[in-house]
Amino acid sequence: MRILIAEDELLERKAMIKFIEANFNDMKVVGEAPNGRRAIELAQTVKPDIIFMDIKMPGLNGLEAIEKIRQVNSAVKFILVSAYDSFAYAKQAMQFGIKEYILKPGKKEEIVRAILRVQKEILFKQKKDEETLKSNELVKEHLLTKLMKNPVDEGAKSIQRQFFPVCKNGYFLVVQMERDIPLENFYSILEKHLTTPFIMQHHDDQYTICVFTPGKVNKAEILHAARGVQLELGNDSFVGAGNPSATIDDLPKSYQEAFTACYELEKEGSRHYGFLNKKENSIHRDKSMSRLIEIIERGNDQDAVHLYKEDLRYFGTRDVDELYLRIKDMMMERGLAVPERSLSELTTEKDWEKFITACCLRMQDYYQSKQYIEKAKTFMQQHFQRSLTLEETALHVGLSPNYFSNLFKQEFGTTFIDYLTKIRLQRAKELLEENRFSLKEISSMVGYNDPNYFSRVFKKHFSESPKHFRQTILKK
């Protein structure tokens, strides 16, 4: 704690200084004033936490000095010291919120108790201020996150009005930098080049800054700020700038522009700051569409909807038409029906979200079916030698026989028995070509207990008997 002694008696000042230094290790006397005017001057320069103020001093008295000091620094705490037991002084001091009053000559115990009470009050306020500051910073970070996503909800607007009431406009900057820099240093650079309030978020090697402005700001001003920040950060930094937003609702668009501009600047390597140009915007749109199709193809509905909402602003009418057709083609290639929604019915963002979700769910069913079928194929390849049934295979993959039968036929265009027969006969041909086993042995090895029935099935599929097939092979 920093203490200032305001006392016109030199010996009294020195005695108090000695007493404080002897009894308090965490207290430091940073100044001493022989009168009220000097106390006011020192209060501004040495920034004390506590002031011992004598009431009766030449020139400005202690109470007059307190009034002027509090106009500049309302946080400083006072302990009044007086040789006069005057109720009038004490009553006037209470108007300034001063609770500690020591009569000369003060007893040591009384002085210690007064100092400890004031110290406790200061520490309590500091802790509360720190908690409030931390809470406010968390709320601002929450606001920043909300302003990065469409749509901006009423909660975000309420926070904006609370912390930035006069700022109706704004823009985003996104900074990418390879090397680490202390956050306080980065913040100082931003304060130097941004003349209006801002909030910042740091994640890995990327810094996202939302700048609030009381009125409209032009692109030249934004570019000037981005240039100043980038030059000071150095050549390993890239600063992407978003276009100015006329309303809070437009800020997510500015963020997306700044983010994409930063990404393209880093990839390009020739520029280190600036806006997203039209060509880059077109490239980003194409990449976004391809990425969205890819995510839908994987059946990831949450990521697909999120990406669509993030990049919707880049899609014009023709882009939306193309997106619909590409989704339709992708699904038809897999034999899947597009959800029963025509393009003309997709008029709102919610319509598109439902459509994309429905497409993703169908893709999930498609992949799930593929997994069942692959599992069934493996099981059939491993067990075709014995009497294998559809019911047993359906039980193995965890499906009902009816559903499995329909799913199997949809995938292969044939029945379970026909597919099983195909596997068995293909293996029979391989064994016949090897010419190591008798026809009876081969019949048993491919799942037929009756050799005659095996011969009839073989002849039906290949238009010749197993015996004739082997003879033909041997003649070659």
Side-chain angles (χ1 to χ4, degrees):
M1 294 275 177
R2 299 165 64 81
I3 296 179
L4 171 65
I5 308 295
E7 166 66 60
D8 60 335
E9 293 290 339
L10 177 61
L11 293 178
E12 292 282 351
R13 289 201 308 272
K14 298 303 181 184
M16 182 62 76
I17 292 171
K18 186 176 181 181
F19 175 80
I20 291 172
E21 291 177 345
N23 290 277
F24 296 93
N25 294 327
D26 56 348
M27 302 281 181
K28 182 181 179 182
V29 178
V30 294
E32 48 182 302
N35 54 59
R37 194 166 299 282
R38 180 58 179 158
I40 295 170
E41 294 172 356
L42 287 174
Q44 295 183 42
T45 56
V46 301
K47 308 294 183 186
D49 299 301
I50 302 172
I51 299 178
F52 277 84
M53 182 70 75
D54 188 12
I55 292 178
K56 194 72 172 179
M57 289 188 295
L60 287 175
N61 66 38
L63 294 178
E64 291 170 328
I66 289 171
E67 186 175 6
K68 292 188 177 297
I69 291 171
R70 287 183 63 82
Q71 291 174 2
V72 180
N73 183 1
S74 60
V76 67
K77 300 296 180 182
F78 294 90
I79 298 176
L80 289 183
V81 182
S82 176
Y84 303 94
D85 186 6
S86 170
F87 178 73
Y89 280 133
K91 186 178 179 181
Q92 193 173 348
M94 284 188 288
Q95 294 176 356
F96 296 114
I98 299 170
K99 303 172 185 176
E100 301 302 328
Y101 192 97
I102 299 173
L103 290 176
K104 294 181 182 179
K107 296 180 180 179
K108 292 182 179 181
E109 295 80 5
E110 185 180 6
I111 297 173
V112 168
R113 284 197 299 269
I115 292 175
L116 290 177
R117 283 194 295 268
V118 173
Q119 183 186 39
K120 183 178 179 181
E121 189 177 344
I122 291 172
L123 291 175
F124 178 79
K125 187 176 185 306
Q126 286 177 349
K127 184 179 179 181
K128 198 167 183 179
D129 288 345
E130 287 174 5
E131 290 174 351
T132 301
L133 180 62
K134 188 175 181 180
S135 175
N136 288 343
E137 290 303 314
L138 290 174
V139 172
K140 289 179 182 179
E141 282 190 23
H142 182 59
L143 170 62
L144 180 61
T145 302
K146 282 178 169 287
L147 294 178
M148 292 160 65
K149 300 176 182 178
N150 261 323
V152 178
D153 59 31
E154 284 303 318
K157 293 176 182 178
S158 176
I159 297 172
Q160 177 266 322
R161 289 191 293 268
Q162 177 186 350
F163 289 98
F164 310 101
V166 299
C167 297
K168 309 297 182 185
N169 310 84
Y171 62 92
F172 268 90
L173 296 176
V174 173
V175 179
Q176 185 83 17
M177 190 165 53
E178 294 180 2
R179 60 187 169 86
D180 290 332
I181 179 174
L183 277 178
E184 57 269 23
N185 293 359
F186 189 90
Y187 202 88
S188 297
I189 291 173
L190 293 178
E191 284 187 320
K192 183 177 177 181
H193 296 282
L194 302 177
T195 57
T196 55
F198 63 87
I199 47 180
M200 180 187 76
Q201 187 180 88
H202 174 228
H203 183 67
D204 293 334
D205 56 353
Q206 190 172 96
Y207 302 80
T208 303
I209 305 105
C210 182
V211 185
F212 297 94
T213 59
K216 291 183 178 180
V217 58
N218 59 52
K219 293 180 70 172
E221 293 176 90
I222 298 175
L223 197 62
H224 179 75
R227 179 178 182 274
V229 171
Q230 191 279 319
L231 288 176
E232 194 147 351
L233 289 174
N235 286 332
D236 63 340
S237 66
F238 299 88
V239 182
N243 286 306
S245 301
T247 67
I248 297 299
D249 291 305
D250 292 333
L251 277 172
K253 181 178 180 181
S254 181
Y255 163 70
Q256 190 67 41
E257 291 165 346
F259 177 86
T260 309
C262 184
Y263 172 80
E264 294 297 340
L265 287 169
E266 184 181 21
K267 187 176 178 182
E268 177 187 301
S270 58
R271 294 185 300 144
H272 284 262
Y273 65 92
F275 293 96
L276 176 69
N277 61 41
K278 291 183 179 179
K279 181 180 178 182
E280 290 167 341
N281 190 31
S282 175
I283 292 172
H284 178 74
R285 181 197 61 219
D286 293 342
K287 287 182 178 178
S288 295
M289 188 177 296
S290 296
R291 191 168 55 192
L292 179 57
I293 297 294
E294 181 183 336
I295 294 174
I296 293 173
E297 187 178 2
R298 292 202 301 264
N300 194 332
D301 53 308
Q302 291 186 350
D303 286 352
V305 169
H306 175 74
L307 181 61
Y308 174 78
K309 290 169 70 176
E310 286 292 304
D311 289 349
L312 174 64
R313 65 187 66 86
Y314 291 102
F315 295 164
T317 304
R318 292 184 179 179
D319 302 319
V320 171
D321 293 348
E322 181 184 347
L323 175 62
Y324 180 84
L325 292 174
R326 288 181 63 177
I327 293 174
K328 184 177 179 181
D329 290 344
M330 181 268 294
M331 296 189 70
M332 289 180 67
E333 285 175 6
R334 289 157 179 79
L336 299 176
V338 179
E340 295 178 359
R341 275 295 184 94
S342 65
L343 180 57
S344 60
E345 293 178 291
L346 303 176
T347 57
T348 67
E349 185 175 317
K350 283 293 181 185
D351 291 337
W352 270 99
E353 288 178 26
K354 291 178 181 178
F355 174 73
I356 289 172
T357 300
C359 291
C360 288
L361 292 177
R362 292 198 179 184
M363 291 304 301
Q364 290 175 22
D365 288 340
Y366 170 77
Y367 288 119
Q368 188 68 52
S369 299
K370 283 287 186 184
Q371 290 176 5
Y372 288 133
I373 293 300
E374 288 301 318
K375 190 174 180 180
K377 281 174 62 179
T378 301
F379 185 72
M380 293 171 75
Q381 290 285 355
Q382 293 172 344
H383 300 281
F384 71 88
Q385 303 93 337
R386 58 181 179 80
S387 180
L388 186 63
T389 65
L390 181 144
E391 288 74 17
E392 182 185 358
T393 308
L395 179 65
H396 176 75
V397 299
L399 296 175
S400 70
N402 285 338
Y403 181 76
F404 175 68
S405 178
N406 293 331
L407 182 64
F408 196 95
K409 190 168 185 179
Q410 181 181 342
E411 176 67 22
F412 294 111
T414 187
T415 65
F416 174 83
I417 292 298
D418 287 343
Y419 190 83
L420 178 61
T421 301
K422 183 179 177 181
I423 294 174
R424 287 171 169 173
L425 294 180
Q426 180 61 38
R427 180 55 181 155
K429 285 177 67 176
E430 294 171 358
L431 293 171
L432 287 167
E433 289 172 354
E434 292 177 10
N435 195 30
R436 291 192 298 126
F437 304 99
S438 68
L439 294 180
K440 185 177 181 180
E441 288 174 321
I442 292 174
S443 173
S444 177
M445 290 169 70
V446 297
Y448 294 100
N449 295 325
D450 184 350
N452 292 326
Y453 179 70
F454 164 63
S455 294
R456 289 197 300 271
V457 173
F458 191 95
K459 188 172 183 178
K460 179 181 178 181
H461 281 79
F462 299 119
S463 301
E464 60 180 337
S465 67
K467 183 178 180 180
H468 187 266
F469 176 82
R470 172 177 277 178
Q471 290 172 346
T472 304
I473 294 296
L474 292 175
K475 286 179 183 180
K476 295 180 181 179

